[in-house]
Amino acid sequence: MATDQLLSQATAASRADLTEAARLAAVRRYDILDTPPDGAFDRIAKLAARLLGTPIGTVSLVDTDRIWFKATSGLAVRQIGRDPGLCSSAITSDVPYVVRNALTDPRTVNNPLVHGDLGIRFYAAAPVITADGHRLGTVNVLDTKPRETGPVDTATLEDLAAVVMDELELRLSALATLRQEREQRERSDEHRATVTAIASTLRQTVLPPALPRVPGLELACHYHSATPGDVTGDFYDVLFLGERQWAFFVGDVAGHGAPAAAVTSLARYTLRSALFRGLTPADALAELNDALLRDEHLRECCTLLVGWYAEDFAKVTLAGGGHCPALWLGEGEVRQVWPEGGMLVGALRDATFVTRTLHLAEGQTLLLHTDGLIEARPDGAPFGEEGLHAFLGEANPRGARETVDALTDLIAGFDPAPTDDVALLALSRTARPPE
């Protein structure tokens, strides 16, 4: 029996070593350790502390023998040893790790961080988990006095940890693809096919792989690339906000290539983060405007339409940032839905953004598009908004899918083809499914 127990313990230890080795390989895969401070992660650390009302918030990565902080709020430390680190314990938990009173909790009563200069009494963390299940680190909050937490607090930490993971994925995809693109562009023209494939991959990193299913809505999208060998800045997204609310947006970054892709990546992440935190579409645009102006490496501006959809009331709140108007389709009519007065995003510090609210009844469709569609010149004549209205009025499509399919066929038939990319996103109200 003793021999069997020893063998079992040895096997368990071996499995643990393999699991840890795979986790450390995942940490290194994201190439994030020892990188300079990043505004996106800094905002998450500050947000964690603010939302849970604690003096300290951090975004940490667990390395071989240290806890390294990608971002801190209220703590002037870049790294600590792993052995006394609370984060080392937190990454082993499948759920948020909460210590309400470190002096009485058996997991922490002897921890040096509790009895040392920091005097930690409260600690709560949610693991940052990759899609393949590796725990890279945590989003955590700390206090020097005991605290109580509830389900909302732990859910907030989990959501912020998911946002950190999204940012790491976006960062990794952009870095890897831009590196490949740069290397390939330095070579001769015989590698154009490879460059085209790289550009296509980069576009995929700033567009959702598939639209979510929204109860009571039919969604459809299309992306037409005018220059397959280059990267442009048209983008769209749809995300679930909870409590039967959804957000969506369509944008267009000025310019082409890697600079446009960098703005697109920042815009998509910033908007997702702002909307998820409960900011209104107009306030989300204001936050993105501030983020673009603060980044001295980004010079491109963008236009945007950002919306909220409330399932209970079928109400759409739409905010505009210098973008071409959305179109409301229903009962044989085509009408512009334009929050007039919205300004270009990333151009002026005192930019203002305007909101418009509408009700989407069953059978009605809201179409958002980028200006590559109306700026096309089939047969040498501008297509324009008038041409788009006339086409949709005559085609009279029923629902989002029919609308996007009709426009996809239209674009494919343009001669010459559009010289700018075209992004389409349509939402149509369907009968609400039973509870």
Side-chain angles (χ1 to χ4, degrees):
M1 180 63 71
T3 301
D4 290 342
Q5 289 178 341
L6 289 174
L7 288 174
S8 177
Q9 292 172 357
T11 300
S14 177
R15 288 175 179 170
D17 289 342
L18 291 173
T19 299
E20 177 62 5
R23 191 196 67 79
L24 289 170
V27 171
R28 280 156 179 72
R29 182 172 74 230
Y30 288 91
D31 196 18
I32 192 71
L33 292 173
D34 299 312
T35 55
D38 184 302
F41 294 98
D42 290 342
R43 285 192 291 273
I44 295 172
K46 291 177 182 177
L47 183 62
R50 185 163 69 245
L51 290 177
L52 274 78
T54 61
I56 300 173
T58 73
V59 175
S60 73
L61 282 302
V62 180
D63 198 3
T64 306
D65 56 0
R66 61 173 177 160
I67 307 297
W68 182 77
F69 298 105
K70 176 58 182 172
T72 63
S73 176
L75 184 67
V77 175
R78 290 297 290 169
Q79 66 180 40
I80 60 174
R82 178 170 174 175
D83 285 341
L86 293 168
C87 301
S88 297
S89 300
I91 63 169
T92 65
S93 176
D94 292 327
V95 296
Y97 185 91
V98 179
V99 177
R100 293 175 175 83
N101 188 340
L103 285 176
T104 59
D105 193 310
R107 298 171 297 178
T108 57
V109 66
N110 295 318
N111 193 295
L113 296 176
V114 176
H115 301 283
D117 293 337
L118 279 177
I120 298 301
R121 296 294 180 268
F122 170 81
Y123 174 84
V128 177
I129 306 175
T130 66
D132 52 355
H134 296 299
R135 292 164 171 78
L136 307 181
T138 61
V139 173
N140 28 239
V141 292
L142 304 92
D143 203 345
T144 55
K145 59 184 179 181
R147 302 180 64 93
E148 292 297 323
T149 58
V152 173
D153 297 319
T154 54
T156 297
L157 286 176
E158 287 180 309
D159 288 332
L160 290 175
V163 172
V164 168
M165 194 66 248
D166 285 346
E167 179 62 13
L168 288 174
E169 291 288 0
L170 288 171
R171 180 183 180 278
L172 178 62
S173 296
L175 286 175
T177 312
L178 288 172
R179 188 181 301 118
Q180 293 177 39
E181 184 183 20
R182 188 181 306 113
E183 292 171 355
Q184 293 295 335
R185 285 184 179 278
E186 291 173 353
R187 299 179 182 178
S188 66
D189 290 344
E190 65 189 36
H191 297 295
R192 287 188 182 276
T194 303
V195 174
T196 299
I198 292 170
S200 175
T201 302
L202 184 53
R203 276 194 294 274
Q204 294 173 13
T205 67
V206 296
L207 294 174
L211 294 179
R213 297 184 64 180
V214 180
L217 281 187
E218 178 184 68
L219 301 180
C221 62
H222 176 69
Y223 190 95
H224 170 82
S225 175
T227 52
D230 204 349
V231 183
T232 55
D234 291 18
F235 60 98
Y236 58 83
D237 207 347
V238 180
L239 59 150
F240 178 52
L241 302 179
E243 297 181 357
R244 295 187 173 181
Q245 294 189 71
W246 299 77
F248 57 91
F249 50 83
V250 166
D252 187 355
V253 177
H256 299 264
V263 174
T264 299
S265 179
L266 175 63
R268 186 177 177 220
Y269 163 73
T270 302
L271 287 175
R272 288 178 67 93
S273 175
L275 292 164
F276 171 77
R277 297 191 330 259
L279 269 64
T280 66
D283 288 342
L285 285 174
E287 182 163 306
L288 174 58
N289 187 72
D290 181 65
L292 289 173
L293 291 171
R294 285 178 179 274
D295 195 323
E296 61 183 17
H297 302 294
L298 302 178
R299 297 287 179 246
E300 287 73 12
C301 303
C302 60
T303 67
L304 277 149
L305 280 178
V306 181
W308 258 354
Y309 172 74
E311 182 190 342
D312 288 340
F313 308 104
K315 184 177 74 172
V316 175
T317 302
L318 196 64
H323 200 79
C324 48
L327 296 180
W328 176 92
L329 313 177
E331 302 172 1
E333 296 183 67
V334 180
R335 297 205 305 259
Q336 286 188 347
V337 179
W338 196 352
E340 296 186 21
M343 302 173 68
L344 194 66
V345 184
L348 299 173
R349 295 200 177 277
D350 57 352
T352 57
F353 305 103
V354 182
T355 297
R356 166 102 180 252
T357 300
L358 65 144
H359 177 78
L360 199 62
E362 287 187 19
Q364 296 175 349
T365 299
L366 186 66
L367 171 67
L368 287 72
H369 64 88
T370 53
D371 59 11
L373 175 57
I374 56 178
E375 292 178 356
R377 299 178 66 89
D379 301 321
F383 186 59
E385 294 179 355
E386 297 81 2
L388 178 57
H389 288 205
F391 172 79
L392 291 171
E394 183 177 347
N396 193 26
R398 303 293 184 182
R401 183 74 268 162
E402 282 192 19
T403 300
V404 169
D405 286 347
L407 290 172
T408 300
D409 292 341
L410 173 73
I411 294 167
F414 279 168
D415 186 17
T419 57
D420 195 4
D421 287 10
V422 179
L424 305 173
L425 177 65
L427 310 83
S428 59
R429 177 90 182 281
T430 61
R432 181 172 174 178
E435 295 290 343

